[in-house]
Amino acid sequence: MARLAPSILSASEEKFDEQMKLIEAGGADLIHYDVMDGVFVPATVNPIPVKELSKKFKLPIDVHLMVQEAGDVIEQYLSENTKYITVHQEACKDLKAVIDKIHGFGVKAGLAINPDTPISVLKPYFKDIDLALVMSVFPGKAGQKFIPSALIKVCELDELRRANNYAFRIEVDGGINLDNCEMTKKSGADILVAGSACFGAEDIKKRCEDFKKIIK
């Protein structure tokens, strides 16, 4: 069974609390929390602070730092409900140090790669990470179309994981919808991030339920 992580990047600022309650009621497993610095990616997003989010809602928080040298800002995204903090391979000079720092706070550590980055760059860290995040769009903007070649990376990661008994989970982020979620899960993904497909639905609760039925 794969898990659903709606991305609050696509949530309505005006109806945020109402929509968050709907994804909880619909069976979402995690909250995907995007952070952009305007440097590593062009957009800058300042969502509700993680500590406030943690107080209001009980779902585990999956923090995705699209930030240059993310190790410098990790402390800002710690909370009782922070389960994962994921940084980008392309944006950190000393990845092992950043992974160790995240683990030092008792949080699971993830590494993300962009669509044009090969999975080979992750191999030195397979024993250290808890999550490998495959971007299926280029980070920085919500609502992009899914890049199908991401599934090849997911399959390769899953094969490597099984062959070597690695413990990391595989997450896919970008353009996930009801049409491609099943094949993404079957490729080996454990966590599916869906932003516009969840929060853009007329019935958000039902949309989450529909996702859960497909990826169960």
Side-chain angles (χ1 to χ4, degrees):
M1 177 184 290
R3 292 186 286 176
L4 176 65
S7 170
I8 63 172
L9 178 63
S10 298
S12 165
E13 187 175 343
E14 294 78 16
K15 299 179 180 179
F16 185 81
D17 285 8
E18 175 187 341
Q19 291 187 345
M20 290 300 297
K21 290 175 183 176
L22 289 171
I23 67 162
E24 283 186 324
D29 300 288
L30 302 107
I31 298 169
H32 189 78
Y33 185 101
D34 287 307
V35 181
M36 304 178 191
D37 63 356
V39 180
F40 176 61
V41 291
T44 302
V45 176
N46 296 298
I48 178 175
V50 167
K51 286 184 173 61
E52 184 179 341
L53 188 67
S54 182
K55 289 177 182 176
K56 283 187 167 188
F57 308 100
K58 299 307 178 186
L59 288 175
I61 301 171
D62 171 32
V63 178
H64 179 192
L65 297 180
M66 291 170 273
V67 174
Q68 199 72 33
E69 292 304 327
D72 297 335
V73 299
I74 287 169
E75 289 90 340
Q76 297 177 34
Y77 302 100
L78 300 172
S79 74
E80 289 184 5
N81 292 344
T82 301
K83 182 167 186 176
Y84 294 102
I85 294 180
T86 297
V87 302
H88 269 263
Q89 181 275 338
E90 304 90 351
C92 297
K93 292 177 182 177
D94 190 343
L95 286 169
K96 183 63 166 62
V98 175
I99 292 166
D100 289 344
K101 186 172 183 178
I102 294 170
H103 283 154
F105 290 112
V107 176
K108 294 181 182 296
L111 284 183
I113 53 173
N114 284 342
D116 55 356
T117 301
I119 65 169
S120 58
V121 300
L122 298 179
K123 288 183 179 179
Y125 311 101
F126 280 159
K127 292 182 179 179
D128 302 308
I129 60 174
D130 305 289
L131 187 71
L133 170 54
V134 175
M135 292 299 300
S136 44
V137 298
F138 283 91
K141 183 180 178 181
Q144 297 180 64
K145 290 185 178 180
F146 183 84
I147 299 173
S149 60
L151 297 183
I152 298 173
K153 290 182 179 179
V154 175
C155 289
E156 291 176 356
L157 280 170
D158 189 41
E159 288 172 5
L160 284 167
R161 174 174 63 174
R162 293 174 185 275
N164 296 279
N165 201 29
Y166 294 131
F168 62 81
R169 303 266 185 179
I170 300 172
E171 182 173 63
V172 181
D173 180 4
I176 295 290
N177 56 39
L178 294 180
D179 294 327
N180 59 35
C181 64
E182 183 174 16
M183 62 182 177
T184 304
K185 176 204 165 186
K186 287 183 176 179
S187 295
D190 304 293
I191 302 171
L192 307 183
V193 177
S196 302
C198 285
F199 289 106
E202 288 187 16
D203 188 332
I204 293 173
K205 177 177 178 290
K206 184 178 184 302
R207 178 59 55 84
C208 290
E209 291 172 342
D210 290 341
F211 266 113
K212 294 289 288 184
K213 287 176 184 176
I214 295 171
I215 64 176
K216 66 182 180 180

